[in-house]
């Protein structure tokens, strides 16, 4: 193996003189007494290699030895990933805690997959079968899923199954099959294998358009700015606008099979909530705990910055792995800005010529390449899997013009922009309903949502105008539109994350409630004065909020709905033609459902 | 015996370079000049060139001065003897007391394993309604106080230090004006809180590099006390000075600046300090409050901006009051459901109405006719400012909640408040009570 000597230390970057071959992204270890610090080669010039160290570098000195591994930075893939909490390099954190206590001492690396645990293996191939990369050799049950034991993705070409083990309980390191390649070479296969994190897994027959909606149970998102399975979306927002809370809500309620949470350079406290609560919370769809469908990659802001850069790749590689099993995977990355900053820090130490705001010039292409790892694909066996990526962005100064937000907006399919004004006014989720957009199709008739959004837009305009001309200078008609906009904002766009019922709203309920709300939006109410109108809308709002808090289709829900409809019909003076038509389209759509 | 180097190759700002071997990254050295000894820390190694930042600054250092490496990184003494004492950033006494040298511990300890953290669960009462009611401070929280120079953030911190329900206070002063240092000392002494307090103070007249040590020293000591079961509150003032010192060193080291001259790792540097806030299961905790002045009242300035992303909310101090908008304790939801059932609703409801008041106020200032509703809001806003926001209001949470209901009842009809019907039934004061 190649060895080297340290010739420079600058923060978490070291320079090494090497005595043989090295590869870019190869892993090496700095030997520091009885500890070895994991590092990755990030630049090579002659016999001099620059490496980023995934640990604090205090105590390293000139002429310290460096051992190279010959391997690229990789993750272990196999049964047992679900429910795990890893750091950015796939070290299991609870196991580290068992060993080290409260603190993360450097230089300790543990196996990512439990080597003792036995899995019930059921073979799915026979001797003589032809297989290729990604084909299923057998399955093991992992939680509620059939985890596919596959031909490792780095096996290129066609192989013949030589031998496969009988059904039984085995560990991840036991040989379960041997296969022969075209040239007659024999290869052993275990349940686990390694894959370099920076290379996308492309073992599928075709990539499909993201057509199916991914339900988040957040009204504002599902109705107005939907996300698709296999699609990408980003949540930029200034601090305190609720990015992380939104991600947490999504990780709980999203209708997907598996959620990978990449807590990248953010507060540890936030991960802890997920970490402590998920094992207690039940997933209503499966009856098992949420933790059993979750993998957490956690490299929080005070952990070494180079591992932060690796963490999003670790996360997306695990997501792609489960996609190979025909599952719907959601990857939530919080925050991609911290990841970009990690690149910036390293780029600065390498003394590369800086781009905008000192970010490296390759920022855009790296971000694009990351989001492109999302996608809905048809696998070789015909089943369909997807990786959906939702990334938060933390723009400096809350200004969306900055490089990371702009590079991200270029490549994502939906934009959920958070606004400081809305969060200051305690309007949650603080997604700006006017600025945000989505290229995907949602659950509610787009013409109707367009109409509703128009009311919010007009209401906002009138509000601005009223600030100039005053309430007395506004016509009653305009004032009604303003009230409708305000009304819709408080009963539909805002959602109470702390209310048992309101926190997660099914698509069915969204469609239903949207129709009730549309009756109000399209109606020309007969009111005499603004005072009266405001009073009426206050009452409507109160009723609607109680209605939102009532269990779906409970007696309470039904009686509140009747009361609401009564209140509406008392003042209803018919709708215009467009509104009438829209209402009808919603009603028929609803009766179909 | 370690080798002594007596040739300094380069002196640039506070950074000196010597040719040396066997030196380790982050190691300390003693630089002896004719102005006395100073500590210095290794900040870059390149072949045999060793760059060090000198704590007392580069001024007066000569190329012929001696550099002696001590073989270990920065350390500080840790024991109960620290309590009631005042030190500078390097841990030297400032109060004429004896220097402490027993039980030396390293500063800049590793990060806490996230899986060992627990969900914050205890409120820290301060008897300031704008904190207790609207933005509850939570044990293990890290919160900055954003303000402008001239705002009373130091008196606020001192008041919190006196009143907060914690076992001990560590005050880290960074670039503190000498008057302010004396103010803190005297206030805590008079209030009898000195015996549970440790000061690490770097004043504005001290060498700039030393200010970089203050947060690390304060937090390393806090961490040890927390591990021994103490509930520690760390007050840092002012973290903008810390960031400015980082900037100064980064520029001297010719690092590519990222935003307004600050180094690209500003976020990571600040995070490494703030993330020390923690609640150790089965032991004590660290809660951090840090004054952060915003140059030009600009919250998008890199220091408050990066801080905001790191901390768990923030308090805005403006016009001598904690602003209800923008101020946000993102952990409050974890504790304010255990105080009183109306806590959350009163909190949200009153803020929404206060926001509406601001709009009416704006309309009024533009000379528009005030509707009935506007007049109600105006009345409400004034009462809210006088009876809740004013920093002199000093009442317990429960009393503040009751006061909230009575303000609401005096100004509005129940249906106008936007509060849920059940709550209104339970808490809405009857007319005769408010009369």
């Amino acid at each position: 193996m190649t060895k080297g000597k340290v010739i420079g230390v600058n923060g978490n970057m070291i320079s090494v003189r090497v005595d043989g071959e090295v590869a870019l992204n190869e892993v090496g270890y700095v030997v520091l007494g009885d500890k070895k610090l994991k590092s990755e080669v990030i630049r090579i010039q002659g016999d001099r290699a620059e490496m980023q160290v995934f640990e604090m570098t205090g105590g390293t000195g000139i002429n310290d030895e460096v051992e190279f591994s010959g391997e690229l930075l990789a993750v272990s893939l196999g049964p047992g990933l679900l429910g795990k909490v890893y750091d950015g390099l796939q070290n299991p954190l609870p196991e580290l805690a068992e060993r080290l206590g409260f603190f993360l001492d450097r230089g300790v690396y543990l196996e990512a997959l439990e080597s003792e645990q036995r899995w019930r293996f059921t073979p799915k191939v026979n001797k003589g079968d032809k297989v290729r990369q990604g084909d299923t050799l057998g399955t093991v049950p992992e939680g509620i899923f059939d985890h596919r034991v596959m031909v490792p993705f780095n096996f290129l070409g066609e192989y013949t199954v030589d031998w496969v083990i009988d059904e039984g309980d085995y560990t991840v390191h036991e040989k379960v099959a041997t296969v022969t390649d075209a040239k007659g070479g024999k290869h052993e296969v275990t349940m686990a294998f390694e894959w370099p994190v920076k290379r996308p897994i492309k073992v599928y027959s075709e990539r499909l358009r993201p057509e199916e909606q991914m339900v988040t149970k957040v009204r504002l998102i599902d109705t107005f700015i939907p996300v698709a399975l296999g699609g990408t979306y980003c949540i930029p927002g200034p601090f305190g606008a609720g990015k992380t809370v939104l991600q947490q809500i999504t990780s709980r309620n999203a209708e997907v099979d598996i959620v990978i949470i990449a807590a990248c350079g953010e507060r540890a406290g936030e991960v802890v909530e997920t970490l402590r609560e998920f094992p207690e919370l039940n997933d209503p769809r499966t009856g098992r705990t949420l933790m059993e469908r979750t993998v957490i990659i956690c490299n929080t802001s005070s952990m070494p910055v180079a591992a932060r850069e690796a963490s999003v790749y670790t996360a997306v590689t695990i997501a792609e792995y489960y996609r190979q099993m025909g599952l719907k995977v959601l990857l939530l990355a919080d925050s991609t800005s911290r990841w970009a900053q990690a690149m910036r820090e390293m780029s600065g130490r390498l003394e590369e010529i800086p781009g905008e705001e000192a970010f490296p010039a390759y920022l855009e292409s790296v971000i694009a390449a990351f989001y492109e790892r999302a996608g809905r694909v048809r696998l070789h066996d015909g089943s369909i899997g997807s990786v959906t990526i939702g990334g938060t962005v933390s723009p400096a100064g809350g200004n969306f013009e900055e490089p990371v937000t702009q590079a991200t907006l270029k490549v994502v399919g939906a934009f959920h922009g958070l606004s400081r004004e809305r969060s200051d006014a305690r309007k949650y989720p603080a997604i700006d309903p006017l600025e945000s957009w989505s290229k995907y199709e949602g659950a509610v008739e787009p013409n109707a949502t367009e109409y509703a959004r128009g009311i919010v837009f007009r209401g906002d305009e009138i509000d601005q105008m009223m600030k100039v001309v005053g309430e007395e200078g506004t016509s009653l008609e305009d004032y009604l539109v303003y009230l409708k906009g305000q009304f819709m904002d408080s009963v539909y766009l805002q959602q109470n994350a702390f209310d048992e019922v309101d926190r997660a709203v099914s698509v069915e309920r969204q469609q239903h409630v949207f129709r009730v709300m549309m009756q109000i939006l399209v109606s020309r109410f007969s009111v005499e004065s603004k005072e009266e109108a405001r009073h009426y809308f206050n009452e409507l709002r109160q009723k609607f909020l109680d209605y939102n808090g009532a269990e779906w289709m409970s007696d309470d829900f039904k009686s509140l709905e009747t009361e609401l409809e009564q209140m509406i019909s008392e003042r209803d003076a018919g709708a215009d033609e467009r509104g009438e038509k829209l209402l009808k389209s919603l009603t028929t759509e609803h009766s179909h459902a | 015996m370690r080798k002594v180097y007596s040739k300094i190759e380069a002196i640039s700002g506070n950074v000196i370079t010597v040719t040396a071997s066997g030196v380790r990254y982050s190691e300390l050295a003693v630089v002896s000049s004719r102005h006395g000894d100073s500590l210095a820390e290794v900040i870059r190694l390149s072949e045999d060139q060793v760059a060090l930042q000198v704590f007392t600054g580069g001024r007066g250092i000569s190329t012929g001065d001696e550099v002696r490496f001590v073989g270990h990184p920065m350390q500080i003494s840790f024991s109960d003897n620290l309590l009631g004492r005042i030190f500078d950033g390097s841990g030297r006494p400032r109060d004429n007391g004896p220097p402490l040298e027993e039980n030396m511990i390293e500063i800049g300890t590793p990060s806490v394993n996230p899986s060992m953290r627990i969900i914050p669960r205890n409120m820290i009462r301060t008897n300031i309604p704008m904190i207790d009611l609207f933005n509850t401070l939570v044990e293990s929280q890290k919160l900055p106080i954003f303000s402008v120079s001239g705002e009373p953030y130091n008196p606020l911190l001192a008041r919190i230090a006196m009143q907060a329900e914690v076992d001990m206070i560590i005050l880290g002063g960074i670039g503190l004006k000498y008057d302010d240092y004396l103010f803190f000392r005297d206030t805590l002494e008079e209030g009898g809180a000195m015996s549970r307090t440790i000061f690490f103070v770097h004043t504005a007249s001290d060498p700039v590099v030393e200010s970089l040590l203050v947060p690390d020293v304060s937090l390393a000591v806090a961490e040890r006390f927390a591990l021994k079961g103490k509930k520690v509150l760390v007050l840092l003032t002012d973290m903008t000075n810390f960031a400015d010192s980082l900037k100064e060193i980064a520029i001297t080291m010719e690092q590519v600046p990222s935003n307004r001259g600050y180094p690209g790792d500003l976020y990571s540097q600040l995070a490494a300090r703030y993330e020390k806030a923690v609640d150790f299961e089965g032991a004590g905790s660290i809660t951090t409050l840090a004054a952060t002045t915003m140059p030009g009242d600009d919250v998008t300035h890199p220091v408050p901006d990066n801080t905001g992303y790191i901390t768990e909310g923030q308090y805005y101090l403006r016009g001598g009051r904690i602003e209800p908008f923008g101020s946000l304790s993102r952990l409050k939801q974890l504790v304010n459901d255990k105080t009183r059932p109306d806590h959350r609703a009163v909190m949200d409801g009153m803020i929404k109405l206060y926001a509406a008041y601001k709009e009416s106020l704006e309309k009024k200032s533009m000379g528009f006719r005030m509707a009935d509703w506007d007049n109600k809001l105006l009345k409400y806003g004034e009462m809210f400012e006088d009876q809740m926001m004013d920093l002199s209001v000093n009442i317990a949470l429960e009393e503040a909640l009751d006061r909230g209901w009575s303000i609401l009842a005096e100004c509005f009809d129940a249906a106008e408040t936007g509060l849920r019907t059940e709550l209104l039934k339970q808490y809405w004061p009857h007319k005769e009570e408010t009369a």
Side-chain angles (χ1 to χ4, degrees):
Chain A
M1 272 295 127
T2 307
K3 285 195 186 299
K5 294 254 187 250
V6 174
I7 53 170
V9 186
N10 178 13
N12 61 345
M13 191 189 78
I14 56 167
S15 306
V16 180
R17 180 149 293 135
V18 294
D19 65 3
E21 287 176 11
V22 280
L24 196 61
N25 301 117
E26 182 172 340
V27 171
Y29 294 88
V30 186
V31 183
L32 190 63
D34 57 349
K35 287 202 171 133
K36 291 183 178 182
L37 310 183
K38 197 170 187 174
S39 327
E40 181 188 12
V41 177
I42 50 172
R43 183 163 72 189
I44 305 166
Q45 280 170 325
D47 66 348
R48 182 190 167 105
E50 251 76 47
M51 304 180 75
Q52 56 176 344
V53 186
F54 297 120
E55 308 276 2
M56 309 282 261
T57 48
T60 46
I62 303 298
N63 283 333
D64 282 357
E65 196 157 310
V66 180
E67 296 170 355
F68 290 88
S69 67
E71 306 282 338
L72 303 186
L73 187 64
V75 289
S76 305
L77 301 172
L81 291 167
L82 294 183
K84 279 284 195 317
V85 183
Y86 292 119
D87 74 0
L89 302 173
Q90 218 194 5
N91 271 305
L93 287 169
E95 284 79 356
L96 275 178
E98 262 170 46
R99 237 208 244 178
L100 303 171
F102 284 122
F103 299 99
L104 287 170
D105 288 333
R106 58 186 178 169
V108 184
Y109 308 106
L110 300 178
E111 251 185 294
L113 297 169
E114 278 165 48
S115 52
E116 302 293 312
Q117 192 174 354
R118 295 186 167 271
W119 299 90
R120 185 86 196 163
F121 179 82
T122 312
K124 296 283 174 190
V125 287
N126 298 308
K127 184 175 157 64
D129 284 358
K130 302 276 184 213
V131 292
R132 55 183 162 158
Q133 48 168 195
D135 283 358
T136 308
L137 295 170
T139 60
V140 299
E142 183 183 16
I144 56 162
F145 306 105
D146 273 334
H147 187 112
R148 296 182 186 172
V149 175
M150 294 175 274
V151 178
F153 306 149
N154 53 0
F155 281 31
L156 304 176
E158 205 176 51
Y159 294 78
T160 313
V161 177
D162 238 9
W163 167 84
V164 63
I165 207 163
D166 293 333
E167 181 168 348
D169 297 313
Y170 310 105
T171 67
V172 288
H173 296 308
E174 273 175 80
K175 184 171 74 175
V176 292
T178 46
V179 294
T180 318
D181 63 27
K183 290 180 187 146
K186 285 201 188 297
H187 304 267
E188 294 183 353
V189 180
T190 63
M191 287 191 222
F193 59 92
E194 306 251 307
W195 181 262
V197 292
K198 286 182 183 165
R199 301 198 45 202
I201 297 170
K202 290 190 168 164
V203 188
Y204 45 77
S205 31
E206 61 170 330
R207 237 182 109 161
L208 306 167
R209 272 164 52 98
E211 281 166 332
E212 201 184 325
Q213 182 176 10
M214 186 192 82
V215 176
T216 64
K217 298 194 180 157
V218 176
R219 277 191 295 259
L220 174 51
I221 295 176
D222 291 346
T223 306
F224 293 98
I225 37 175
V227 180
L229 288 168
T232 52
Y233 67 103
C234 71
I235 311 175
F239 62 80
K243 286 185 296 296
T244 306
V245 177
L246 195 58
Q247 290 274 50
Q248 275 174 354
I249 292 170
T250 312
S251 67
R252 279 172 196 209
N253 300 329
E255 292 189 347
V256 291
D257 297 316
I258 288 171
V259 179
I260 318 269
I261 298 171
C264 169
E266 287 289 311
R267 311 169 181 95
E270 286 160 359
V271 193
V272 175
E273 283 175 38
T274 310
L275 229 106
R276 298 276 167 168
E277 284 173 4
F278 272 29
E280 318 281 318
L281 289 174
N282 270 319
D283 181 358
R285 299 180 321 124
T286 60
R288 310 289 280 264
T289 71
L290 279 176
M291 203 61 200
E292 286 180 50
R293 68 156 195 180
T294 310
V295 185
I296 300 175
I297 313 291
C298 164
N299 210 94
T300 56
S301 55
S302 62
M303 288 158 77
V305 69
R308 188 196 297 171
E309 197 250 340
S311 66
V312 296
Y313 292 108
T314 301
V316 74
T317 308
I318 295 174
E320 286 173 334
Y321 175 64
Y322 279 100
R323 175 171 71 185
Q324 292 299 125
M325 299 171 202
L327 298 173
K328 298 170 192 162
V329 188
L330 169 64
L331 166 62
L332 296 169
D334 184 21
S335 138
T336 57
S337 295
R338 304 300 159 225
W339 165 58
Q341 283 181 346
M343 281 193 268
R344 174 168 74 181
E345 277 181 39
M346 204 39 69
S347 166
R349 297 234 158 81
L350 286 170
E351 295 176 356
E352 291 172 342
I353 294 173
E356 208 179 333
E357 287 186 22
F359 282 107
Y362 44 80
L363 178 75
E364 280 196 19
S365 59
V366 172
I367 288 178
F370 169 68
Y371 278 101
E372 273 301 305
R373 288 177 78 164
R376 188 160 162 263
V377 301
R378 191 191 315 281
L379 302 167
H380 291 317
D381 70 349
S383 55
I384 289 176
S386 63
V387 170
T388 312
I389 299 183
T392 64
V393 185
S394 321
N399 172 13
F400 292 175
E401 304 299 310
E402 59 89 46
V404 182
T405 315
Q406 285 306 314
T408 308
L409 280 180
K410 273 188 188 169
V411 292
V412 293
F415 160 61
H416 300 166
L418 298 182
S419 106
R420 163 69 38 78
E421 276 134 54
R422 286 184 71 83
S423 73
D424 278 357
R426 304 287 197 271
K427 294 178 176 172
Y428 295 115
I431 300 172
D432 190 322
L434 302 175
E435 299 268 313
S436 304
W437 48 259
S438 166
K439 294 175 186 162
Y440 305 118
E441 268 176 39
V444 179
E445 162 70 25
N447 283 327
T449 57
E450 201 47 47
Y451 183 91
R453 231 167 135 160
I455 297 233
V456 179
F457 182 74
R458 280 264 297 136
D460 188 56
E461 271 184 344
I462 294 164
D463 188 22
Q464 298 301 325
M465 215 162 61
M466 268 199 304
K467 287 199 177 112
V468 184
V469 300
E471 211 175 284
E472 61 268 38
T474 310
S475 69
L476 182 59
E477 201 186 332
D478 276 357
Y479 193 70
L480 270 175
V481 176
Y482 158 75
L483 284 175
K484 283 177 185 172
Q486 296 273 309
F487 168 78
M488 175 174 155
D489 191 350
S490 47
V491 305
Y492 201 90
L493 302 184
Q494 292 173 46
Q495 197 167 338
N496 187 348
F498 296 97
D499 185 281
E500 283 302 323
V501 176
D502 204 32
R503 58 158 44 134
V505 183
S506 67
V507 166
E508 203 184 2
R509 180 169 178 157
Q510 286 185 35
Q511 289 167 336
H512 183 90
V513 171
F514 186 80
R515 197 186 55 78
V516 177
M517 182 186 66
M518 271 299 274
Q519 288 179 31
I520 297 166
L521 296 189
V522 301
S523 173
R524 283 184 292 225
F525 288 104
S526 59
V527 283
E528 299 298 317
S529 68
K530 289 174 194 154
E531 200 71 11
E532 189 190 336
R534 185 172 57 234
H535 191 72
Y536 174 63
F537 268 91
N538 272 343
E539 279 178 355
L540 267 183
R541 184 186 63 189
Q542 193 75 17
K543 191 63 71 187
F544 216 111
L545 287 175
D546 291 345
Y547 174 60
N548 275 342
E551 198 86 45
W552 171 234
M553 285 303 163
S554 61
D555 292 344
D556 220 13
F557 179 84
K558 285 177 190 157
S559 73
L560 281 162
E561 182 167 311
T562 319
E563 285 173 46
L564 260 174
E565 306 225 310
Q566 224 156 33
M567 283 174 75
I568 298 167
S569 62
E570 271 167 23
R571 302 243 181 203
D572 193 8
D576 56 30
E577 207 179 316
R578 184 171 170 220
E580 204 66 69
K581 230 158 83 194
L582 284 172
L583 256 191
K584 213 168 268 166
S585 76
L586 286 172
T587 318
T588 47
E589 189 185 322
H590 186 64
S591 57
H592 281 308
Chain B
M1 185 61 207
R2 307 273 308 185
K3 226 166 132 185
V4 176
Y5 297 89
S6 58
K7 186 164 176 0
I8 296 174
E9 307 274 339
I11 305 169
S12 158
N14 300 320
V15 179
I16 61 170
T17 310
V18 293
T19 307
S21 61
V23 177
R24 311 244 136 221
Y25 192 70
S26 297
E27 187 175 339
L28 275 193
V30 178
V31 182
S32 310
S33 71
R34 67 187 124 129
H35 308 289
D37 284 359
S38 167
L39 289 176
E41 186 184 14
V42 176
I43 53 171
R44 185 183 286 176
L45 293 172
S46 180
E47 308 272 354
D48 58 354
Q49 297 291 297
V50 180
L52 301 114
Q53 62 181 17
V54 184
F55 293 167
T56 57
R59 272 193 204 138
I61 290 188
S62 130
T63 50
D65 287 346
E66 280 185 358
V67 180
R68 187 163 43 86
F69 291 91
V70 301
H72 61 73
M74 178 69 193
Q75 293 176 329
I76 178 93
S77 161
F78 166 75
S79 70
D80 283 344
N81 296 338
L82 290 169
L83 285 163
R85 296 289 307 273
I86 303 175
F87 303 93
D88 70 4
S90 310
R92 286 183 305 251
R94 245 201 142 90
D95 54 1
N96 302 324
L100 297 179
E101 270 155 9
E102 79 272 16
N103 192 23
M104 300 299 277
I105 57 164
E106 284 188 14
I107 66 167
T109 46
S111 164
V112 170
N113 189 326
S115 69
M116 288 299 277
R117 286 176 183 260
I118 50 177
I119 296 183
R121 54 200 167 176
N122 301 319
M123 161 180 183
I124 295 183
R125 284 171 180 267
T126 63
N127 288 351
I128 300 171
M130 288 315 287
I131 294 179
D132 291 1
L133 204 173
F134 293 97
N135 282 296
T136 320
L137 181 63
V138 181
E139 193 176 347
S140 85
Q141 189 163 26
K142 41 193 179 288
L143 268 179
I145 300 173
F146 286 163
S147 58
V148 193
S149 312
E151 290 287 347
Y153 52 90
N154 283 330
L156 176 65
L157 280 180
R159 195 169 144 209
I160 292 171
M162 304 280 298
Q163 294 185 182
E165 277 185 317
V166 289
D167 296 329
M168 56 179 292
I169 307 278
I170 295 181
L171 185 109
I174 306 151
L176 205 58
K177 273 199 327 213
Y178 212 87
D179 305 357
D180 288 338
Y181 153 57
L182 296 176
F183 162 78
F184 271 114
R185 196 191 63 187
D186 297 348
T187 313
L188 288 168
E189 251 167 22
E190 279 160 27
M194 200 60 197
S195 60
R196 63 163 191 169
T197 308
I198 305 170
F199 279 70
F200 290 100
V201 174
H202 165 267
T203 66
S205 57
D206 297 335
V208 78
V209 184
E210 228 170 67
S211 74
L212 291 173
L213 294 169
V214 171
D216 285 338
V217 169
S218 308
L219 290 161
V221 170
E223 197 165 84
R224 287 302 179 105
F225 276 111
L227 285 170
K228 284 174 71 181
K230 291 276 193 274
K231 214 166 152 183
V232 190
L233 177 63
V234 178
L235 306 174
L236 298 170
T237 173
D238 156 358
M239 283 301 272
T240 305
N241 292 336
F242 172 75
D244 287 339
S245 304
L246 281 177
K247 175 167 80 174
E248 208 176 304
I249 296 294
I251 300 279
T252 314
M253 293 297 288
E254 295 176 351
Q255 283 181 25
V256 180
S258 67
N259 207 341
R260 297 207 213 176
Y262 289 94
D265 65 354
L266 179 63
Y267 175 85
S268 303
Q269 293 283 3
L270 289 171
R273 275 80 191 184
Y274 281 112
E275 282 284 321
K276 288 277 172 202
V278 64
D279 193 346
F280 291 114
E281 176 116 60
S285 65
I286 302 178
T287 309
T288 305
L289 272 177
T292 301
T293 48
M294 302 183 287
D297 199 9
D298 176 13
V299 74
T300 67
H301 180 278
V303 179
D305 186 50
N306 278 295
T307 305
Y309 281 117
I310 293 163
T311 52
E312 290 150 337
Q314 63 278 330
Y315 296 151
Y316 274 91
L317 194 62
R318 192 168 287 152
R321 291 195 284 236
I322 297 178
E323 272 268 321
F325 311 121
S327 291
L328 170 78
S329 156
R330 60 169 64 237
L331 299 185
K332 61 177 182 248
Q333 307 286 8
L334 298 172
V335 295
N336 64 11
D337 57 341
K338 300 177 198 95
T339 48
R340 228 170 76 170
D342 57 332
H343 188 160
R344 283 182 181 172
V346 170
M347 173 184 84
D348 282 335
M350 291 194 85
I351 295 290
K352 276 186 189 165
L353 287 166
Y354 187 71
Y357 153 73
K358 284 280 182 186
E359 277 177 26
S360 293
L361 199 64
E362 199 177 314
K363 276 198 268 179
K364 189 182 174 195
S365 67
M366 292 174 78
F368 292 124
R369 192 170 57 85
M370 294 282 96
D372 260 5
W373 176 241
D374 291 309
N375 285 325
K376 283 181 174 182
L377 285 170
L378 289 176
K379 179 177 173 198
Y380 166 76
E382 271 164 36
M383 286 182 77
F384 185 78
E385 286 179 353
D386 285 352
Q387 300 181 26
M388 283 285 188
M389 284 175 68
D390 201 286
L391 269 188
S392 67
V393 179
N394 200 354
I395 50 176
L397 170 70
E398 289 71 18
E399 205 181 321
L401 283 169
D402 293 340
R403 187 177 282 188
W405 282 109
S406 76
I407 293 176
L408 287 173
E410 201 163 315
C411 303
F412 305 107
D413 295 335
E416 289 171 332
T417 57
L419 296 167
R420 280 252 174 108
T421 319
E422 317 126 50
L423 278 175
L424 289 172
K425 264 188 209 143
Q426 199 185 340
Y427 289 101
W428 192 252
H430 299 293
K431 275 293 170 206
E432 53 272 22
E433 278 176 27
T434 55

